[in-house]
Amino acid sequence: MNTKIFITCTLLFLCCTLANAQAGYGATTDSGYGSALLALSSRATKLPLPPAPAPAPEPTPEYVNLTDLLSVAGPFSTFLHYLESTKLIETLQTQANDTEEGITLFVPKDTAFSNLKKPSLSNLTSDQLKQLCLFHALPHYYSLSDFKNLSGSGPINTLAGGTYTLNFTDDSGTIHIGSGWTNTLVSSSVHAKDPVAIYQVNKVLLPEAIFGTDIPPPAPAPAPVAVPDVAPVADGPDADGGKGKGKGKGVGSDTAARSSTPSSSYRITGWMRVVMVVVCSGLVLVL
């Protein structure tokens, strides 16, 4: 009896021990998993986020070389020579490519300079020549359609500054430019792509700030050439006595035909002479 009780107690002790051991192992395992998850989550929060993709860069405007453009187009060699001799080509190049406003340039042809007699540009000082060149440039890019908004809006400032201004008029798409001394128009577009516009003009733009306000009146229009009146040829016998009759048809032959046929008055005069001769002969015989 005592042996059975001892065995039963021993089995119960072993079962309790195993149960407690399993419970402790499970708790240890669960706590280990939880600690690992907490460690991983803390590390994940500390990791830096990947950087956002940078926006695509805006396209760089095309560099415009004014010297190359004016050398190829034109002929604009005279105006380009003035820009290079006054060192203004660098100023215009900077305005064209290194500013947000851009530039609009009016370039006279070589014939515009050769046809300019008065006033002469040979007597200008170096500063006046620079101002004259800058007078042909606007400190902003204007397309041809933009001049419609400038038409009649008043004087527009040029790169020469101050009182060096131009007036623009849009006449059904034709751009007229006035400077006091000069009235001309844009004859063609050499280059028109933002930020650079280059337009050809037929005359040199002359500012009043250099040449004064005593502007000569425009030359009068040439008088119409008088056409002399040609008197009609009178009917009469031909100068060659009718020898040209039959040489051809037309006015000459008709005139010759009319001159060869005696008129009615000429025939009456002839008959009167015959009658008078007969009468006179009869009187002589009677007497």
Side-chain angles (χ1 to χ4, degrees):
M1 184 70 181
N2 292 331
T3 305
K4 292 181 179 180
I5 294 173
F6 176 76
I7 294 172
T8 302
C9 291
T10 302
L11 292 173
L12 290 174
F13 176 77
L14 291 174
C15 289
C16 291
T17 302
L18 290 173
N20 290 332
Q22 289 179 355
Y25 178 77
T28 303
T29 305
D30 292 342
S31 62
Y33 286 153
S35 300
L37 290 175
L38 290 174
L40 289 175
S41 61
S42 62
R43 290 180 182 179
T45 56
K46 293 180 181 179
L47 290 175
L49 296 175
E58 296 183 358
T60 304
E62 180 183 358
Y63 183 85
V64 179
N65 191 312
L66 297 179
T67 302
D68 291 345
L69 275 177
L70 297 179
S71 299
V72 175
F76 304 130
S77 58
T78 303
F79 187 71
L80 179 59
H81 169 72
Y82 285 140
L83 294 180
E84 291 176 338
S85 63
T86 56
K87 306 298 182 183
L88 287 177
I89 190 66
E90 291 84 0
T91 302
L92 301 182
Q93 198 74 63
T94 300
Q95 179 69 29
N97 294 287
D98 299 338
T99 65
E100 295 182 356
E101 293 296 323
I103 191 173
T104 299
L105 192 61
F106 303 102
V107 186
K109 297 187 299 183
D110 288 346
T111 53
F113 289 96
S114 60
N115 293 334
L116 183 63
K117 305 303 179 183
K118 290 183 180 181
S120 175
L121 305 183
S122 59
N123 297 327
L124 297 181
T125 64
S126 59
D127 290 338
Q128 289 176 331
L129 187 58
K130 287 182 179 180
Q131 293 299 96
L132 176 70
C133 293
L134 293 175
F135 188 59
H136 289 72
L138 303 180
H140 186 78
Y141 168 80
Y142 292 103
S143 64
L144 288 175
S145 59
D146 292 334
F147 286 102
K148 187 175 183 179
N149 298 327
L150 297 180
S151 179
S153 62
I156 304 300
N157 293 326
T158 65
L159 275 177
T163 58
Y164 292 83
T165 58
L166 291 171
N167 296 300
F168 297 93
T169 305
D170 185 350
D171 183 10
S172 301
T174 301
I175 311 303
H176 296 263
I177 307 175
S179 68
W181 279 81
T182 306
N183 290 303
T184 186
L185 52 84
V186 174
S187 56
S188 66
S189 175
V190 179
H191 180 90
K193 184 179 180 181
D194 195 7
V196 178
I198 302 177
Y199 302 114
Q200 175 182 293
V201 292
N202 296 329
K203 294 182 180 179
V204 181
L205 304 179
L206 304 175
E208 294 182 359
I210 294 178
F211 301 99
T213 57
D214 189 13
I215 303 173
V225 179
V227 179
D229 294 334
V230 179
V233 179
D235 292 339
D238 290 345
D240 58 355
K243 295 179 180 180
K245 182 170 60 176
K247 291 183 179 180
K249 297 180 181 180
V251 178
S253 60
D254 293 344
T255 304
R258 288 195 298 270
S259 63
S260 61
T261 304
S263 63
S264 58
S265 60
Y266 180 80
R267 291 196 298 269
I268 292 173
T269 304
W271 281 107
M272 290 179 65
R273 290 178 180 176
V274 172
V275 172
M276 290 179 64
V277 170
V278 171
V279 172
C280 292
S281 300
L283 290 176
V284 172
L285 292 178
V286 172
L287 296 176

